Each structure stands twice: as structure tokens, then as C-alpha cells.
Amino acid sequence: MLAMLRALWRYRYFVWSSIRNELVSRFLRSRLGGLWMIIHPLAQVAIYALILSNVLAAKLPGISNKYAYSIYLMAGLAAWTLFTDILGRCVNLFVDQGNLMKKMAFPRITLPAIAVGSCLVNNLLLLAAMALIFLLLGHGFGWAVLWIPPLLILLTAFSLGIGLILGVVNVFVRDVGQAVPILLQIWFWFTPIVYPATIIPEPFRKWLVLNPIYPFVAAYQQVLVYSRTPDPATISIVGVAAAGLLLLALLLFRRAAPELVDVL
Amino acid sequence: MSLLRVANLGKAFRSYRREWHRFARWAGLPMAPGEETWVLRHVSFEAHHGRAIGIIGQNGAGKSTLLKIITGTLHPTEGHVEVNGRIAAILELGMGFHPELTGRQNARHAAGLMGFTADEIEAAMPSIEEFAEIGEYFDEPLRTYSSGMQMRLAFSVATAWRPDILIVDEALSVGDSYFQHKSFDRIRKFKEEGTVLLFVSHGMQEVKELCDRVVLLDKGRVIKDGLPDEVVDYYNALIAEKQAAGATIRQQRTEKGWMQTRSGSGEARIASVKLLDAGTGVEVATARVGQKLCLVAEVEIRAPIPRLVMGYMLRDRVGHVVWGTNTWHTRQVVENLAPGDRVTYELHFTCSLGPGSYSFSTALHENNAHMESNYEWVDNVCVFDVINTDKHHFIGCNHLQKHIHINYIRNAG
């Protein structure tokens, strides 16, 4: 495991330049270039904020801002987007990079590192765009916002853990790659992102505990919408789970790495 | 100290009856794989400083698998590879290149993929740019490059640092001939400085020229490992062999060190070959430049055959083909032969060769190529030396019919 991290450190330049190339090449021939990286999330957030709040002017309990619903929606989406971005990238990671893996010898761990790196950059830009729009809409942040970096790290670990496991399995059982997008869609509607958890009828609400992504989404909403500290007990449990999952994923990855190229 | 040691290497591709058996195996459960296909087995060799090893074999012989294991992209199922130093592989040039990025950015990226740090890459960048010789294009997006330019850039990056072991695949045989020469020069220089070369090619000429040793793979096994001429001749015989089942290949070194390889199905075989002076009919082992010679080959027929074509190949000491033809091309096909028949071929020629050692190889076959219905192929059936006794001094393998005419005007002043 330590050797894996050391190899990753040795290839840090490659990881860094790959992330940069990926972002740069996406906008290279457009006139506005890197600006698009900010325009995209800004536009997405602005659309939610302005249109949805006028169409669905539903008030959230405990918040008076007219844009309360869109702020709530964005907070949940910030967490969900990071999760699905990382998961989506990881599931097809080894299949997509099969040719490179067959021809070049380099530490395989750099591939998920690059994927996570570029997802993180995108997510940070999205968060920045949200912060900007929130402030423009007159929604302030409290000190609780300092919870975002640790939440971000835990969520990344959690997403990478699941993503890596599915990514490895997908090499051998390609159905996984097909099933994941469908399951994600279902999962999305079973998570209180678009709707508040309170609208779930009481007898069913206890099942939310079984949704592993919900603690993250809820924590984001607590912090960003209500400026409240998330429940430390939940966060600790989730944190341990995320770390355990990532460790399991890395062990599996190390075990599978020699056989990956055989079937690619 | 050997730079590379391959010990009893084997690779099996495993398939499982149920895919979850594989996952269960990772978890430590004793799951036997459903089926094992061995694509490589019991391969061992060693390479020391500055040696070049050729790896030849037909498609599917296991060459790529062997190289991938040595490079480290594939893991061996049994045995191990011991590498003392850095490996660079030119397996597929331009791997990981991005069309929208410039040559310089791609060079940085590709070097990063080889594990170099930003500082090391920047330090090498001028020499990469210089070697690629693509001028202004170096800072243009890759999509504007011709394939030759891409290959120049890729080779330049791949060999920017001298590796301890360099793996060269056929990839090299693309590009313009100027750059091919340049890249071969660089490879030779690496070799002189101690790099071990692993060279995979279907070009037997290149293998003979570049390699000190050749390993012949067939169906994943090493079937021959030795000096280039020996193994390459054996390989050629083997290819002809595939068409004629049940035939054998025999090799022996003659006193002079030439390897004689006989192969074929044996319906017709060379009974004797003699090199004679055309005038006197006396057998010669050493010919003079300009001497009239005659190669007399006696062929005995051992089974009924519809047609007989005799092919000749004249090669120099390092295996370069100097000349070759067959009686199909010269429209002298002999037809309908029966067992016991004897055919004598006389090849009359003038020894317009340069000083050195030469050999004739012969092939008896049914059609215009020895690949199908190969009755008998004999490498180096007749070996002779050429000396220059009465001509002006010259170098090279060809005594060119020349005439030098000089005009000059003396300055009257």
C-alpha cells in the first residue's frame, strides 16, 4: 500500500499535467478558453436560482429567503454532483484507458488519481459559482461553512471507494458500467435533494438511514442552507465508513491490478 | 552483472466458469480457474551490458506477451523477470498523445508518463526538440502533424534518456528513411554505451545486422536460441516447413563456421553441389575477382513431382543477400519427374564480387516461391572466398564494371 502511494508521489508531475491537459484541452480551441470552466457552473446555478425560485416559490421551513428552495437544491446538488462525477469516471476508467495500460508501464494508481483530481477541480469551481450566486441573492454563510472542506474530503473518499470497486469489477463484468447510470438515476430520486426530507411520510422516513449518500447531502444542506454544524456523531460514522471503504477499494485494486490488463 | 534476467517465465490467461470465482480467489478462497491458456512457458534468457537480443517468431508466437511482461504491463503467471535499471519501450509510438496539445506539451506529458519529474523534463526539452527536427511545428498542435512528424516526436521523447534496457518493436519501421537512419544510429549508440537491446522484428535482415543473439519463439516456447545466422536460417526453414508436414530441419556447423540448415518435405534433394572453374572444370574454394565460375548442383528425385524449380541465393558473410533468382523466373521449370530421376543444374557466372566470404543457398520447390511445396531448402550449401589478385584495389561486395575517364586542361600560364 505504501509502495502504491510512493509511486503516486513519484508520478505526481504526470498526474498534475494530466489533470491540467484534460481541463485545458477541453476549451483549447474556444475563444473564451478557460472562462468556460467558470461559465458552465455559473449558468447552471443561475438557472436553478432564478427560474426555479420563480416557478416553484415554495418556502422551506425555517428560512425566509425567496430563493430558499433553489439554495436548498444547489446545496444538495453540490454533494450529489461530486459523488456521481467521481463514480461515473471511475466505473469506466480502466476500460477507457485499456489501450494505454496495455502498452505503457506506469503506476496504475495514477489513473484514479487523475480522475479524482479533475472531478475535484470541477466541483470546486461549481462551489465557487454557488457561493457567488448565493451572496448575490443575499444569502450569507456562517462559520459552519468551514465544514465544507472536511465534508468534501470524506465525500471524495467515499465516492472513490465505491467508484474504484465498481471500476475494477466493470473490467471483468461489463454489465456494471451499463447498470450504474440507471441505478444512479433511481438513487437520485430516493435522496432528498429535489425535495425536503420532511415530505417523506413518517413511516418511511426511517429508511433514509439506509441511504449512504444521504448523510453527506444532509450535511451539505445543513451547512450551506441553515449555516448549522452537521451532527458530529453522524459525520464520524460516515467518516469511518468512507475511510474503510476507500481502504477496501485500494486493497481490491492492488489485488486486481495484475489481472486487469489480461482481460482488457 | 546482467541487466536483464528472465527466468522460467510463463503466462497463462485464465478464464473462470463464473466471473465471481475470480473475485472469490482475490479474497483468498481456493477457486480453480475454469480454463488456463498458456501463451508463454519456460522462457529463460539473460542479457548483459551492450548486448542486442532479437526476438523472432510468427504471429501469435508470444513475442508481444514476452515484451509486455518485461516492460511490466503484464504480470507473469510463473517465473520472474529481474531488471537492473530503467526500461524504455518503443512498443507503440505516440501512446497517450493528445491532438489538441502542442508537440512540446505532448512531449512533457509523454515524458511524465515515463516517470520523469518536471525539472528533468525541462532539462531534456531542448535535446528532444533538436532530435525531432520538426522545426516550428514543435509548438503547434499535434493535429497539424503528419504521421511522420508524430513518429519523430514520439521517438525523440521515448529515447531522450538512455535507458538500461530498450525494447524496440516494429514501430520503428515507419517514418522517412532519413529519420529511420537517425533513430537506428541513436539505438546503436545506446548499445555501445551499454544499453541492452531487445529487438522484435519480422525484418530478418535487421535482426541479423543489429543483434548478437536471437531467440526464436514458437507457440510460446523458445525453440531456438543462438547466433543470428543460425536462428534466422532455422526460422526461414520453419516457415517453409509449415506447408510441408512431417519434414525435418537439420542444422550443422561446417568447418568454416557457416551454419548449414536443411529443411523440406524431401521429394527432391540436393545430392551434391560443386563450385568449378568454368574453363578448366577444377573445383575451387577460393575464387578470383573476374573468374568465370560454374555452380553445379545435382538433384535427385525421390518421389513423383509435377514440377521442379531451383532457386539460388548468394549471401555475404553477414547475411546480406547479394543476388538471388530461381528457374521459375528464368522460365526453366522442369516438369513431371519420377523417383530415381536426376537433374543437374549448372549456374554459369562471372565472379564480379568484392573480396570476402560468400555462400550459396539453394531451394527446390514446386512453384515460384519456397513457401509452398518446399522440397528442400539448404542454407549455405556452398561457401567460397573471393580474393583480388589481378584487379585494381577496390572495396565493397561488387566488382563494378567501370571505366574512369579524366579530362584536364593544364593552365598554360
Side-chain angles (χ1 to χ4, degrees):
Chain A
M1 192 66 76
L2 210 62
M4 208 144 97
L5 294 178
R6 217 176 290 133
L8 189 60
W9 175 246
R10 199 155 41 80
Y11 273 70
R12 63 191 181 280
Y13 174 75
F14 172 67
V15 172
W16 180 79
S17 87
S18 298
I19 295 172
R20 206 197 38 188
N21 283 352
E22 198 176 292
L23 297 174
V24 166
S25 60
R26 196 147 25 115
F27 306 107
L28 207 60
R29 290 177 80 181
S30 59
R31 206 157 290 185
L32 294 180
L35 269 181
W36 283 113
M37 278 172 44
I38 304 161
I39 295 172
H40 279 301
L42 262 182
Q44 190 195 347
V45 173
I47 289 166
Y48 280 133
L50 300 172
I51 298 175
L52 283 183
S53 60
N54 286 316
V55 179
L56 297 158
K59 287 261 190 315
L60 278 182
I63 192 151
S64 54
N65 195 316
K66 177 191 172 210
Y67 300 101
Y69 173 68
S70 41
I71 290 169
Y72 174 83
L73 179 62
M74 283 188 265
L77 275 180
W80 181 259
T81 313
L82 181 63
F83 172 63
T84 49
D85 271 4
I86 294 181
L87 195 62
R89 280 286 298 266
C90 286
V91 167
N92 292 309
L93 193 60
F94 304 116
V95 175
D96 289 345
Q97 301 290 336
N99 207 21
L100 188 64
M101 290 173 69
K102 271 193 275 187
K103 295 286 160 57
M104 296 286 298
F106 61 97
R108 306 314 190 197
I109 191 73
T110 53
L111 291 175
I114 292 164
V116 165
S118 92
C119 289
L120 274 178
V121 171
N122 284 328
N123 196 253
L124 288 175
L125 288 171
L126 181 70
L127 281 176
M130 279 182 187
L132 186 69
I133 303 263
F134 279 21
L135 290 172
L136 286 178
L137 296 179
H139 180 84
F141 298 103
W143 284 105
V145 81
L146 289 178
W147 272 95
I148 288 296
L151 282 176
L152 192 73
I153 291 169
L154 288 183
L155 180 54
T156 304
F158 175 77
S159 315
L160 178 60
I162 297 188
L164 256 186
I165 293 173
L166 292 180
V168 167
V169 174
N170 188 33
V171 173
F172 304 101
V173 188
R174 299 285 166 101
D175 308 64
V176 171
Q178 302 295 332
V180 162
I182 300 170
L183 291 176
L184 278 179
Q185 285 210 24
I186 300 170
W187 197 346
F188 177 76
W189 292 106
F190 272 94
T191 309
I193 294 170
V194 180
Y195 53 89
T198 45
I199 68 164
I200 303 176
E202 195 62 54
F204 299 108
R205 211 177 296 168
K206 58 174 186 283
W207 296 108
L208 261 187
V209 180
L210 295 179
N211 186 343
I213 196 69
Y214 181 59
F216 291 105
V217 171
Y220 265 66
Q221 288 162 346
Q222 286 287 317
V223 169
L224 294 175
V225 182
Y226 303 101
S227 295
R228 281 202 295 254
T229 327
D231 177 31
T234 317
I235 294 301
S236 331
I237 296 170
V238 166
V240 171
L245 198 62
L246 183 59
L247 192 70
L248 180 74
L250 287 175
L251 284 173
L252 176 77
F253 175 67
R254 202 185 52 173
R255 198 72 202 247
E259 283 180 48
L260 283 182
V261 179
D262 289 5
V263 292
L264 277 172
Chain B
M1 183 191 72
S2 65
L3 282 178
L4 175 72
R5 211 165 69 84
V6 173
N8 193 32
L9 209 62
K11 176 73 187 175
F13 287 107
R14 299 199 169 116
S15 62
Y16 292 79
R17 271 182 297 275
R18 291 273 182 281
E19 206 51 52
W20 62 267
H21 287 186
R22 186 194 297 272
F23 305 137
R25 233 170 96 103
W26 294 342
L29 295 178
M31 283 288 173
E35 208 180 306
E36 282 190 335
T37 321
W38 288 90
V39 292
L40 207 63
R41 203 142 201 206
H42 306 312
V43 174
S44 303
F45 61 88
E46 219 174 315
H48 295 268
H49 278 275
R51 304 320 296 276
I53 298 181
I55 295 168
I56 60 173
Q58 289 177 287
N59 290 332
K63 292 172 299 189
S64 307
T65 308
L66 176 61
L67 290 194
K68 279 179 186 164
I69 294 175
I70 294 173
T71 325
T73 59
L74 274 185
H75 288 250
T77 311
E78 60 175 33
H80 64 272
V81 178
E82 213 180 288
V83 174
N84 296 303
R86 192 176 71 83
I87 294 191
I90 311 182
L91 288 182
E92 192 161 323
L93 288 169
M95 225 30 236
F97 273 9
H98 197 294
E100 290 299 336
L101 300 175
T102 67
R104 189 183 301 276
Q105 287 166 331
N106 270 307
R108 263 193 212 120
H109 186 72
L113 189 57
M114 291 159 68
F116 290 98
T117 64
D119 292 340
E120 288 168 320
I121 295 169
E122 283 322 305
M125 198 53 82
S127 70
I128 293 175
E129 185 175 0
E130 188 193 293
F131 191 83
E133 284 188 66
I134 51 175
E136 305 287 300
Y137 276 96
F138 198 60
D139 287 303
E140 295 287 321
L142 202 77
R143 69 191 144 78
T144 63
Y145 285 32
S146 68
S147 57
M149 282 156 71
Q150 282 191 30
M151 131 88 202
R152 281 171 171 227
L153 178 68
F155 182 86
S156 187
V157 179
T159 59
W161 295 268
R162 184 179 75 80
D164 299 297
I165 296 158
L166 181 67
I167 298 178
V168 184
D169 204 348
E170 322 242 20
L172 210 59
S173 50
V174 291
D176 53 308
S177 58
Y178 163 72
F179 197 75
Q180 262 188 41
H181 275 284
K182 197 170 154 175
S183 24
F184 266 103
D185 282 347
R186 179 171 259 193
I187 290 174
R188 272 195 205 94
K189 206 176 118 246
F190 281 170
K191 189 182 162 213
E192 278 160 25
E193 290 167 10
T195 294
V196 162
L197 217 61
L198 284 183
F199 190 65
V200 178
S201 180
H202 286 291
M204 291 303 127
Q205 209 58 50
E206 290 171 332
V207 170
K208 277 189 183 175
E209 272 172 54
L210 208 60
C211 300
D212 308 304
R213 210 176 110 200
V214 177
V215 175
L216 173 59
L217 288 179
D218 191 47
K219 298 188 190 87
R221 317 266 171 147
V222 175
I223 56 170
K224 198 94 188 166
D225 176 357
L227 295 172
D229 60 338
E230 180 179 342
V231 181
V232 169
D233 288 348
Y234 188 88
Y235 176 62
N236 283 334
L238 191 77
I239 291 181
E241 197 67 8
K242 297 266 163 172
Q243 307 299 327
T248 52
I249 305 175
R250 280 169 294 127
Q251 281 192 309
Q252 63 187 84
R253 283 249 176 232
T254 61
E255 316 92 81
K256 281 182 170 176
W258 290 78
M259 175 58 65
Q260 203 183 81
T261 308
R262 267 176 193 262
S263 63
S265 49
E267 287 90 339
R269 65 185 301 268
I270 298 279
S272 73
V273 171
K274 284 191 192 109
L275 184 65
L276 309 175
D277 180 283
T280 61
V282 176
E283 195 167 349
V284 291
T286 305
R288 283 172 286 106
V289 177
Q291 190 176 3
K292 299 255 188 263
L293 298 170
C294 179
L295 184 79
V296 183
E298 211 172 341
V299 176
E300 59 177 17
I301 309 302
R302 315 206 308 172
I305 48 175
R307 273 179 305 181
L308 180 65
V309 172
M310 169 77 152
Y312 297 97
M313 184 159 71
L314 178 65
R315 289 187 291 188
D316 69 7
R317 188 69 189 87
V318 291
H320 277 293
V321 177
V322 177
W323 172 87
T325 192
N326 65 35
T327 57
W328 187 86
H329 292 296
T330 60
R331 295 168 204 278
Q332 291 168 293
V333 179
V334 183
E335 289 178 337
N336 295 326
L337 290 160
D341 289 351
R342 286 180 99 80
V343 186
T344 307
Y345 287 92
E346 287 181 18
L347 171 71
H348 292 266
F349 67 104
T350 305
C351 180
S352 58
L353 298 165
S357 187
Y358 296 87
S359 86
F360 269 108
S361 299
T362 58
L364 296 169
H365 41 91
E366 186 187 320
N367 289 309
N368 70 333
H370 78 96
M371 299 303 165
E372 45 187 301
S373 301
N374 171 32
Y375 302 138
E376 189 185 53
W377 171 284
V378 192
D379 272 307
N380 307 328
V381 65
C382 170
V383 178
F384 62 101
D385 290 311
V386 174
I387 52 169
N388 186 1
T389 52
D390 50 4
K391 302 281 187 272
H392 299 293
H393 175 75
F394 70 97
I395 57 168
C397 70
N398 189 352
H399 181 236
L400 201 72
Q401 289 301 316
K402 48 108 191 37
H403 172 71
I404 302 173
H405 185 76
I406 303 175
N407 268 327
Y408 64 92
I409 302 166
R410 283 199 195 279
N411 188 341

